[in-house]
Amino acid sequence: MRTHTALNNGDVEILKSYQEFASDVLSGLSGDVKFLPCKYIYDERGSRLFRKIMELPEYYLTRSEIEIFQMHGEAIAGLIGIENCSIVELGAGDGKKTRILLKQLQDMALPFHYFPVDISESAVNRLTSELIEQFPALKINGIISDYFEGLRRHSHLNRNRKVVLFLGSSLGNFDPAGLDNFLSRLWNELNDGDLVLIGFDLKKDVDLINTAYNDSSGITEQFNLNILRRINDELGGNFDPGKFRYYGTWDAFCSAVKSCVLSTCRQTVHIEDLGRSFEFEAWEPIHTESSYKFSEEDIETFALKNGFDVIRNFYDKKRYFVDALWQVRK
Ligand code: AVJ
């Protein structure tokens, strides 16, 4: 008896229960301090804007991590290339950086299965079909879901050794308590000896950081405002994006860039699907994202207290960024 439908190579699965957009918007706009979870920025338009961010001269993160994979790709592939392993990438996006690793792994001629997980439907579909073209021998199944649903779905699909990729400083969106919580849940989903490769953006000159989140072409502003446009499109909101502006700046006490959209005037916004209106004071913020930056000590502490051994850290030449390879210890 088949317990679930077998997947063919290149099939993409959609796990829709992650969709709690309406209730998250309602609770986020109802409190004293308004906030919207950053994962909702990434619809089709938001994903496109993020791809533009990765090309910005000011946004050093992507280039630093690409340099790491170009310099250390062979060494990384040598450590993560376990025969028949499942490589699960959480928040795969357009796979810009992963392609370099996949190429290295394919050159080693070890069989493995790649599962890119992302909440952006268009990103997963695009990545899956592009990779099948680029690597005809690759075993790949995309999963449209949030991080944990994707990981859990994957554990049900097979019990192979796992390598979890978490690139591009996506984990920087968690505050320290959230990161501990995330890592301990991750540890629970994995088996002894499984590997995780995590990209962390390191603390550096605050001017460089501020510039990366305040690009001269205003793409980062559009990226943050996209969450209001998405509420208009999907929930019948009447936000006027012209009456909001982006503000993102380094908070030295938290070690994070705190991003928000500010209401530039006193206004009321109605959201049809919620059957509610929301009042905004002039210059009231809606928190949209935090991008934490880490010291090497912070990173090691996160690993050890959540049950991971540090295998090796890989840096770019300027030491702006690190990809940390950890192993689950049970
Ligand atoms: C995708 C979460 C790593 O925080 O640097 C880029 C998103 N926000 N510019 C980051 C982002 C503004 C990015 N992450």
Side-chain angles (χ1 to χ4, degrees):
M1 198 182 80
R2 290 216 319 233
T3 49
H4 58 77
T5 321
L7 287 175
N8 293 318
N9 195 37
D11 283 352
V12 171
E13 283 191 289
I14 307 184
L15 310 177
K16 273 281 184 192
S17 61
Y18 69 89
Q19 289 287 13
E20 286 155 7
F21 188 39
S23 57
D24 284 348
V25 170
L26 177 61
S27 61
L29 296 183
S30 299
D32 284 347
V33 180
K34 295 182 172 68
F35 71 95
L36 293 166
C38 63
K39 65 176 177 180
Y40 294 118
I41 299 174
Y42 300 88
D43 61 358
E44 169 121 46
R45 187 174 39 215
S47 298
R48 179 166 20 92
L49 287 163
F50 184 61
R51 287 199 296 280
K52 282 195 178 174
I53 288 177
M54 291 192 288
E55 304 285 339
L56 290 171
E58 295 95 336
Y59 195 72
Y60 60 83
L61 288 83
T62 311
R63 269 187 309 281
S64 304
E65 198 171 34
I66 286 176
E67 187 181 295
I68 293 174
F69 290 164
Q70 283 167 347
M71 290 198 311
H72 306 291
E74 216 182 312
I76 297 173
L79 288 165
I80 67 173
I82 304 155
E83 197 159 350
N84 289 319
C85 69
S86 294
I87 299 183
V88 184
E89 179 168 11
L90 302 178
D94 72 347
K96 193 178 162 122
K97 297 143 272 181
T98 324
R99 282 166 215 250
I100 309 173
L101 276 187
L102 292 174
K103 172 84 179 65
Q104 293 279 1
L105 287 161
Q106 289 242 312
D107 290 351
M108 293 166 57
L110 286 172
F112 67 93
H113 200 137
Y114 176 54
F115 296 91
V117 177
D118 204 284
I119 47 166
S120 169
E121 202 164 326
S122 55
V124 176
N125 287 327
R126 182 201 313 250
L127 178 62
T128 307
S129 54
E130 282 180 6
L131 287 182
I132 282 186
E133 283 222 344
Q134 195 182 344
F135 304 103
L138 181 67
K139 284 195 281 175
I140 173 172
N141 288 103
I143 302 177
I144 300 161
S145 78
D146 67 13
Y147 298 146
F148 276 103
E149 230 184 333
L151 202 59
R152 271 199 304 273
R153 174 72 183 107
H154 165 79
S155 341
H156 297 149
L157 280 176
N158 73 63
R159 296 176 177 282
N160 292 342
R161 281 285 291 278
K162 261 168 248 130
V163 179
V164 180
L165 306 181
F166 216 114
L167 309 181
S169 193
S170 320
L171 277 188
N173 284 150
F174 290 114
D175 63 24
L179 184 51
D180 273 328
N181 176 49
F182 173 83
L183 291 172
S184 73
R185 288 176 69 188
L186 181 64
W187 186 91
N188 273 312
E189 291 291 331
L190 298 176
N191 297 314
D192 187 37
D194 284 348
L195 294 169
V196 298
L197 182 69
I198 307 180
F200 290 99
D201 193 18
L202 294 168
K203 287 184 196 175
K204 61 183 63 62
D205 189 317
V206 296
D207 291 336
L208 269 164
I209 296 176
N210 273 329
T211 307
Y213 292 84
N214 288 280
D215 61 292
S216 55
S217 42
I219 306 288
T220 307
E221 168 148 51
Q222 292 309 317
F223 174 75
N224 280 270
L225 288 172
N226 187 55
I227 199 155
L228 306 184
R229 295 205 165 91
R230 186 174 183 179
I231 294 172
N232 289 350
D233 294 348
E234 293 183 22
L235 303 176
N238 69 352
F239 278 103
D240 176 354
K243 290 186 177 151
F244 287 84
R245 57 158 285 192
Y246 162 71
Y247 182 66
T249 196
W250 177 248
D251 178 339
F253 298 96
C254 300
S255 289
V257 175
K258 296 285 182 71
S259 299
C260 61
V261 291
L262 295 171
S263 172
T264 56
C265 57
R266 190 186 179 92
Q267 57 182 317
T268 304
V269 173
H270 185 73
I271 302 177
E272 193 90 23
D273 289 9
L274 303 180
R276 274 201 51 178
S277 292
F278 301 89
E279 306 287 335
F280 291 86
E281 300 294 327
W283 304 109
E284 181 178 350
I286 309 174
H287 179 264
T288 47
E289 188 179 39
S290 295
S291 302
Y292 283 81
K293 311 298 169 193
F294 303 88
S295 70
E296 287 161 68
E297 299 75 59
D298 295 337
I299 295 168
E300 187 170 349
T301 307
F302 279 118
L304 300 182
K305 77 173 170 187
N306 289 295
F308 297 89
D309 289 333
V310 178
I311 303 291
R312 219 176 123 179
N313 288 327
F314 298 92
Y315 301 91
D316 59 306
K317 287 199 201 94
K318 290 180 176 152
R319 287 201 166 229
Y320 281 176
F321 202 91
V322 62
D323 277 289
L325 182 64
W326 299 349
Q327 185 159 41
V328 176
R329 174 180 23 86
K330 291 210 168 174

